[in-house]
Amino acid sequence: MSIVRDDADNPQYVISIVEDITECKQVEQRQAIEHAITLLLADARSIAEALPRVIQIMCDSLGYAYGARWGFDSKESVLRSIESWCAADPAVEEFRRMSTSRVETHGKPGGLNRKVWATIAPVWIADVAQEATLARREAALRAGLHSAFGFPILVGGEFYGVMEFFGREVRPRDERVLEIARTVSTQIGQFIGRKQAEAALRKAHDDLVHKAEELARSNDELQQFAYVASHDLRSRCA
């Protein structure tokens, strides 16, 4: 802003220039989230160590009070709550405890996670109060949670689970947030795939070591048998 004065130095009017930096701030936020998660996943030693922290980064950065990962149990064809994080709020913590004890079954209507599972695509709920069939609607409202979204996690193209987030405000569908979710989903899928490959390599190495040890023991036993047999034969010949 600047003040325009007359020849007597009296202020006459103000000139102001306003620049909307919302888009710039949104880009910075997205880059900060992706960078933080990239660093986290690069250093994490295990899936169990990394994903609760990913959930917290998403909640803190995007302003959500609760987040969780639901893992897909292919043998029983259900979703189970694996990791979660929530704000320090007794009502939200109760919602978290209730959610942790649930099991989501494919095909039943109303669940946020079941919708993600059925469509293998992000699902946005702008206003929980308007979702009459949402399974945890009343529990969410009691906790002061009024919006939610979820997205799938794919590993090697296969469905691995769902991440869900609940917020305190009613939020219209935000494509920017969903784009961040898609990027984070890709990061998580690649991380899990890498950890699975590392585990498979370790197992293969351990199996080879075990087989080598078994072969060495077998050779020792064979040599011992040959020695005993040779000694017995020499004794008989003498």
Side-chain angles (χ1 to χ4, degrees), residues 128-135 137:
V128 169
Q130 301 302 316
E131 295 288 326
T133 61
L134 185 65
R137 174 178 176 272

Side-chain angles (χ1 to χ4, degrees), residues 106-177:
H106 194 270
K108 293 177 65 177
L112 170 62
N113 295 319
R114 290 194 293 269
K115 290 179 180 179
V116 176
W117 184 3
T119 60
I120 314 296
V123 172
W124 189 278
I125 297 176
D127 186 354
V128 169
Q130 301 302 316
E131 295 288 326
T133 61
L134 185 65
R136 288 175 289 164
R137 174 178 176 272
E138 296 304 321
L141 293 175
R142 284 196 302 271
L145 302 174
H146 295 279
S147 61
F149 77 95
F151 59 88
I153 300 171
L154 304 179
V155 178
E158 298 295 324
F159 180 69
Y160 187 84
V162 175
M163 270 198 176
E164 66 171 3
F165 297 88
F166 281 75
R168 290 190 172 99
E169 303 86 15
V170 172
R171 296 192 182 192
R173 184 181 178 92
D174 190 332
E175 291 299 333
R176 177 186 62 90
V177 171

